[in-house]
Amino acid sequence: MEATTLPKSWNIDQILDDLDQHGFAVIDDVYPHDYVHQLVNECTSNLNRFREAAIQNGVVSNIRSDHILWINENLDIAQRHIDTLKQFSQLLNRYFYLGIKDVEAHFACYNAGEFYALHRDNPQNKNGRMISTVYYLHEQWQDDWGGELHLQDKNNLWHTLKPRPNRIAMFQSDLLHEVLEAKQQRLSITAWLRSDQAIL
């Protein structure tokens, strides 16, 4: 896989350097507008299928209040995003020897008042999640609408990443993070690049 197969807007060297130095990276203007619009339509047309999110083994917890829909091959538009992440995983394996084998992903909807408290996606290497990614797919967002990703980097510094449209935030899955309360409906795709086979 050559980097040229990834979207041209991705600064591959910068992304890899940020992941190496800080444990996280941000990519803006990820996809062309036409694709973003198709993706938003696919997400919003399926909102009635979303269910309350769980944390472990299907247990619903009060540390999070978002709603999700797991992505499979029947969601054609979102599957293209997953395929891009699979291509990018090959680069991560080449540079960081992460052994990523698969990607699991779901649409996420945070309605006004919803949040996700401080947690790690892979605490103490208890699962195969290596890299976490959040792609923000709402078409408009204002800074005072909340819903930020609050993240502690690998150097123990805290960052607040705004959920700007057509942005990806990606970070090591063992880093501590939270989603601050949203004041408007916030739509995204959360995906994990895994060193094992994802089971949806």
Side-chain angles (χ1 to χ4, degrees), residues 110 114-116 146-150 160 178-182 186:
Y110 287 79
E114 295 182 344
F115 64 94
Y116 197 155
E148 298 94 343
L149 176 66
H150 192 217
T160 302
E178 64 183 327
V179 177
L180 303 181
E181 182 179 322
R186 200 204 81 166

Side-chain angles (χ1 to χ4, degrees), residues 80-134:
R80 288 161 53 189
H81 172 59
I82 308 310
D83 290 343
T84 299
L85 293 178
K86 286 181 177 178
Q87 292 178 5
F88 184 64
S89 296
Q90 296 178 40
L91 263 184
L92 294 178
N93 287 341
R94 186 185 308 165
Y95 282 87
F96 300 122
Y97 307 103
L98 295 179
I100 295 167
K101 297 184 178 70
D102 201 6
V103 175
E104 65 172 338
H106 62 59
F107 284 118
C109 175
Y110 287 79
N111 292 308
E114 295 182 344
F115 64 94
Y116 197 155
L118 279 171
H119 67 286
R120 303 177 197 271
D121 292 345
N122 185 359
Q124 300 172 327
N125 293 315
K126 288 184 177 179
N127 59 53
R129 293 173 174 174
M130 305 301 292
I131 299 291
S132 302
T133 71
V134 184

Side-chain angles (χ1 to χ4, degrees), residues 12-196:
I12 300 300
D13 290 340
Q14 186 67 57
I15 296 166
L16 294 174
D17 186 61
D18 287 345
L19 286 169
D20 183 45
Q21 298 296 319
H22 309 290
F24 80 97
V26 174
I27 311 169
D28 284 315
D29 302 316
V30 176
Y31 294 121
H33 176 74
D34 287 349
Y35 174 67
V36 176
H37 188 67
Q38 292 176 49
L39 197 51
V40 171
N41 284 342
E42 184 174 66
C43 177
T44 54
S45 66
N46 283 283
L47 281 175
N48 63 331
R49 298 174 54 206
F50 282 47
R51 60 175 177 79
E52 193 171 352
I55 49 168
Q56 294 289 337
N57 302 317
V59 177
V60 174
S61 167
N62 60 6
I63 75 161
R64 68 185 297 184
S65 52
D66 56 316
H67 295 75
I68 65 169
L69 176 65
W70 289 99
I71 294 170
N72 57 34
E73 62 276 2
N74 295 323
L75 295 164
D76 297 342
I77 308 301
Q79 194 61 51
R80 288 161 53 189
H81 172 59
I82 308 310
D83 290 343
T84 299
L85 293 178
K86 286 181 177 178
Q87 292 178 5
F88 184 64
S89 296
Q90 296 178 40
L91 263 184
L92 294 178
N93 287 341
R94 186 185 308 165
Y95 282 87
F96 300 122
Y97 307 103
L98 295 179
I100 295 167
K101 297 184 178 70
D102 201 6
V103 175
E104 65 172 338
H106 62 59
F107 284 118
C109 175
Y110 287 79
N111 292 308
E114 295 182 344
F115 64 94
Y116 197 155
L118 279 171
H119 67 286
R120 303 177 197 271
D121 292 345
N122 185 359
Q124 300 172 327
N125 293 315
K126 288 184 177 179
N127 59 53
R129 293 173 174 174
M130 305 301 292
I131 299 291
S132 302
T133 71
V134 184
Y135 172 67
Y136 301 110
L137 57 83
H138 35 258
E139 292 186 279
Q140 296 183 12
W141 198 260
Q142 296 180 15
D143 286 348
D144 61 354
W145 285 358
E148 298 94 343
L149 176 66
H150 192 217
L151 171 79
Q152 185 181 44
D153 71 17
K154 64 188 293 185
N155 305 306
N156 298 320
L157 299 174
W158 285 93
H159 305 264
T160 302
L161 309 179
K162 295 185 182 299
R164 291 179 179 149
N166 204 18
R167 161 180 279 186
I168 287 179
M170 62 175 61
F171 53 94
Q172 294 175 191
S173 295
D174 59 351
L175 294 180
L176 192 61
H177 62 285
E178 64 183 327
V179 177
L180 303 181
E181 182 179 322
K183 297 180 175 64
Q184 297 282 337
Q185 184 183 74
R186 200 204 81 166
L187 302 175
S188 62
I189 295 177
T190 303
W192 297 274
L193 316 185
R194 301 184 61 113
S195 62
D196 57 4

